[in-house]
Amino acid sequence: MRTTSNPVFRNLPKQEGNGYASFGSATAGASQATQQFGQPQYAPAEPYQTGPTSRAMTIDDVVTKTGITLGVLTISALVSYFLVNNNADLATPLVIGGGLVGLVLVLVATFGRKMDNPAIVLAYAVAEGLFLGALSFMFTDIQFGGVGGSALIAQAVLGTFGVFFGMLVVYKTGAIRVTPRLTRMIIGALIGVVVLALGNLVASFFTEGGLGLRDGGTVAIIFSLVCIGIAAFSFLLDFDAADQLIRAQAPEKAAWGVAFGLTVTLVWLYVEILRLLSYFNND
């Protein structure tokens, strides 16, 4: 089974059987490749066992749960933005607090195998909404060194969903197939980005600007573009992981885990696009 770069999608079954409607035709392409080379791409395993009161997950469940999660995140972000707009002193606490709570919830959901717990998913949406609302204000407010003008936020939102739907089309049409090699490349790039970001953070304690990955210069612009590219390709792995859940007839509540994983990637992508736009506007 292919492994997604998104940690909340990693505990997936290795079963390929009859399922419900999926994200697109990429899986069909994978099946053709399997028949061509005569070897299965991953070993068969038992499908999920649904209880008498539950049913198998469908694509409609994924869309609904993802919509609910993003709706809660949006409301939380708007509340946070207006709170900070009225009292700028709340910006830093909300960014730090929301970010830390969101990180803790991701770790709890991942290592505690609670990805399909709606309470954790929605709590994450609230925490990240508070984080994003305050962070967006800081990126666009002059007193925090921002560029000024809230139009930057609208551009970042449009860019984020533009990338999301663009990668969905790419996945649906099978223009780029999710293969084990592609998966390894994306995960390797993701690990590299995380190591560089942590190294830049540590270096910033000793040298102004750290390694120059977040100072708005040429290197920072290239680094942000790389992060955006990796986040975009991560959607392909997320879509494929969701397809595997649907084909394995996972319980309906597993759709919350899919919504969780997609939201994690969307949050990262939005922050990187917002940061990149701020670099250009500072110029």
Side-chain angles (χ1 to χ4, degrees):
M1 183 188 69
R2 292 180 290 274
T3 302
T4 173
S5 62
N6 197 321
V8 303
F9 277 133
R10 288 180 181 171
N11 298 315
L12 298 179
K14 303 177 182 179
Q15 186 266 351
E16 202 175 331
N18 297 327
Y20 290 82
S22 61
F23 274 105
S25 59
T27 54
S31 298
Q32 293 172 3
T34 300
Q35 295 173 3
Q36 178 181 356
F37 291 101
Q39 295 293 334
Q41 296 209 5
Y42 43 84
E46 293 298 321
Y48 280 96
Q49 298 296 323
T50 56
T53 60
S54 64
R55 60 175 176 79
M57 184 182 80
T58 68
I59 187 61
D60 290 337
D61 295 321
V62 174
V63 173
T64 300
K65 302 303 189 297
T66 302
I68 293 173
T69 304
L70 293 180
V72 171
L73 186 148
T74 301
I75 293 173
S76 177
L78 290 173
V79 170
S80 175
Y81 183 88
F82 286 113
L83 285 175
V84 175
N85 189 43
N86 292 326
N87 184 1
D89 292 337
L90 294 175
T92 301
L94 286 176
V95 168
I96 296 176
L100 288 177
V101 171
L103 176 61
V104 169
L105 288 173
V106 168
L107 295 176
V108 169
T110 303
F111 296 104
R113 297 177 181 268
K114 299 181 183 296
M115 292 82 71
D116 56 2
N117 187 314
I120 291 180
V121 176
L122 295 179
Y124 171 81
V126 172
E128 287 302 298
L130 295 175
F131 165 77
L132 291 180
L135 185 69
S136 298
F137 180 86
M138 294 176 71
F139 267 104
T140 57
D141 190 81
I142 298 177
Q143 66 176 313
F144 288 101
V147 298
S150 58
L152 194 70
I153 299 174
Q155 295 171 10
V157 171
L158 289 175
T160 300
F161 283 99
V163 171
F164 174 80
F165 288 112
M167 298 311 292
L168 180 58
V169 171
V170 168
Y171 179 78
K172 182 177 177 62
T173 59
I176 299 178
R177 293 176 180 173
V178 180
T179 63
R181 181 181 180 183
L182 177 64
T183 301
R184 289 193 297 269
M185 291 174 61
I186 295 175
I187 293 177
L190 179 61
I191 293 173
V193 163
V194 171
V195 171
L196 282 174
L198 290 176
N200 184 73
L201 178 63
V202 173
S204 66
F205 296 144
F206 305 98
T207 306
E208 184 177 358
L211 301 178
L213 300 182
R214 297 302 192 187
D215 62 0
T218 302
V219 174
I221 292 174
I222 294 174
F223 184 71
S224 286
L225 287 172
V226 170
C227 289
I228 291 171
I230 296 172
F233 275 88
S234 293
F235 282 126
L236 297 179
L237 275 62
D238 293 345
F239 297 150
D240 183 70
D243 263 343
Q244 292 182 49
L245 282 171
I246 293 173
R247 293 197 310 272
Q249 299 184 350
E252 176 188 4
K253 67 177 184 178
W256 284 109
V258 177
F260 193 17
L262 290 173
T263 303
V264 169
T265 307
L266 281 167
V267 167
W268 178 35
L269 179 62
Y270 170 80
V271 172
E272 290 299 335
I273 292 179
L274 183 65
R275 189 186 300 274
L276 179 64
L277 290 173
S278 71
Y279 294 157
F280 289 121
N281 278 268
N282 274 326
D283 295 336

